[in-house]
Amino acid sequence: MMKTFRHILFFAMLFSVNLLIAQNKSNLYSFFIAGHTSGKPGVNNIGLHPAFKDKFGYVKSREEIKMGFLLGDIVVQGGATAQDWDEVDADIDSLGLPVYFAVGNHDMENRPLFESRYGSTYYSFVYQNDLFIVLDPNIDGWSIKGEQLEFLENVVDSSYQNVDNIFVLFHQLLWWTSDNIYANIEPNSFAGIVLPTNFWTVIEPIFHQLPNRVIMCAGDMGATSWSDNFMYDNYDNISFVGTGMGDGDGDNFIVLNIADDKSISYDLVCLNDTVLNCFGDLTEYRISNSINDNNFKGIFLYPNPATKQVTVTFLTDFSGNIYIFDITGHMIFEKQLKNIKSQVFNISNFPKGLYLIEAVSGNHQITRKLRVE
């Protein structure tokens, strides 16, 4: 499950020393993924998000990090100009590592400019006998179709028997739908989405049948008050990893470490804290550890942000407790519900700020962010 922010705060207290993230000497190589590296929405930085650039020294200090991936919205919305891309290129040059782009909707506001500079927006390569596939869901409304689908199928068919891990990288959280366990994860936006997408009917089955470990990485997170900052889940041979930055306290990027035996570990790196692992272990946030019951798929808040009242709606009849916590982790409201599909809560006396609404039923728990304005 996604840990609540109050859990994160308590967990971070256990790591009050400035601890460098452990580096496994048996690593074959590492690489980083970073989402929404344009940073705070509406701010046209000179190049990449300043808090991300502040961690370039850390990245360069880890010799086993051989490359990186920027997972979309690399430039600010409305800022896909030659100057913006020149500034991004200069930042990457200062890092001194190969860095690959998985484009987001911001980056594709001027597709001809991007393609004239960097070439195709979907491609693949092999490194240390691992296959890397970069996709562009912006072409067909979050689906992978036509020539891109043909490319994907050909790459997988011709490579899977000769490689170990397969990493698939893109911008949007393609695994999100409104009626599965990922409905509770909030990306930065649904810009350009055309429903239904073909992720679960076409794309996921391509990889689910393989003998390889498949790690899918997305970067449209962490830029807004309503979006989640990161996520992790895995089942069978597939893992989902989400990361992003721009909203402040939750800003992060992730280092993937591939060991000699091709096992994979993750370093979830804080951008705005002296404790690099202030969020703890990424795998502790595994969604399907607790959200694995079709009768407890999620909750939805409306409106959000809210001022006087908020309606909490459940996908199925809910019996359990609702808790509301403030940003310090203090519980300010509790109510028991039985067989409820929707419930209205009065928040007119809540001070402005960020809150967490937590639904608990048996061993299951889901948390959503609420902003009061």
Side-chain angles (χ1 to χ4, degrees), residues 24-29 128 130 164-165 213 257-265:
N24 186 340
K25 293 183 179 180
S26 68
N27 275 5
L28 181 62
Y29 71 97
Q128 292 287 1
D130 289 333
D164 299 315
N165 298 310
R213 167 59 57 188
N257 307 298
I258 294 80
D260 290 336
D261 63 0
K262 286 307 180 82
S263 61
I264 301 167
S265 63

Side-chain angles (χ1 to χ4, degrees), residues 137 140-145 172-180 187 189-201:
D140 286 296
W142 290 44
S143 291
I144 306 299
K145 297 180 178 179
Q172 291 86 350
L173 269 69
L174 299 187
W175 50 83
W176 183 95
T177 73
S178 62
D179 60 355
N180 68 10
S189 79
F190 295 100
I193 192 170
V194 178
L195 297 173
T197 70
N198 70 349
F199 179 79
W200 289 103
T201 57

Side-chain angles (χ1 to χ4, degrees), residues 34-172:
H36 204 273
T37 50
S38 59
K40 187 175 180 63
V43 177
N44 195 349
N45 294 303
I46 299 175
L48 302 173
H49 185 37
F52 178 46
K53 290 192 285 187
D54 287 345
K55 290 296 187 287
F56 278 14
Y58 164 73
V59 173
K60 290 191 282 189
S61 74
R62 292 187 55 178
E63 294 182 358
E64 72 275 20
I65 297 179
K66 302 302 183 184
M67 58 186 166
F69 293 84
L70 304 187
L71 302 183
D73 288 355
I74 303 162
V75 296
V76 70
Q77 188 172 14
T81 67
Q83 179 178 339
D84 290 292
W85 289 114
D86 287 344
E87 293 168 355
V88 168
D89 289 344
D91 285 341
I92 292 172
D93 288 344
S94 73
L95 185 57
L97 294 173
V99 175
Y100 302 92
F101 296 163
V103 295
N105 50 295
H106 295 181
D107 313 317
M108 291 296 96
E109 290 176 351
N110 191 339
R111 181 179 288 273
L113 173 63
F114 183 94
E115 292 178 341
S116 70
R117 294 175 67 107
Y118 307 110
S120 177
T121 54
Y122 56 90
Y123 53 93
S124 68
F125 63 90
V126 174
Y127 181 83
Q128 292 287 1
N129 213 53
D130 289 333
L131 175 62
F132 291 81
I133 303 174
V134 175
L135 298 177
D136 179 3
N138 304 281
I139 296 174
D140 286 296
W142 290 44
S143 291
I144 306 299
K145 297 180 178 179
E147 292 182 0
Q148 186 173 198
L149 178 57
E150 183 179 355
F151 153 81
L152 175 62
E153 291 173 331
N154 288 339
V155 168
V156 171
D157 287 345
S158 63
S159 303
Y160 80 90
Q161 292 180 316
N162 303 313
V163 299
D164 299 315
N165 298 310
I166 299 177
F167 298 96
V168 190
L169 306 108
F170 39 79
H171 176 62
Q172 291 86 350

Side-chain angles (χ1 to χ4, degrees), residues 242-253:
T243 182
M245 61 186 74
D247 187 42
D249 291 343
D251 290 359
N252 69 90
F253 69 94

Side-chain angles (χ1 to χ4, degrees), residues 198-213:
N198 70 349
F199 179 79
W200 289 103
T201 57
V202 176
I203 306 307
E204 190 269 358
I206 291 174
F207 295 99
H208 199 179
Q209 64 181 338
L210 300 178
N212 315 77
R213 167 59 57 188

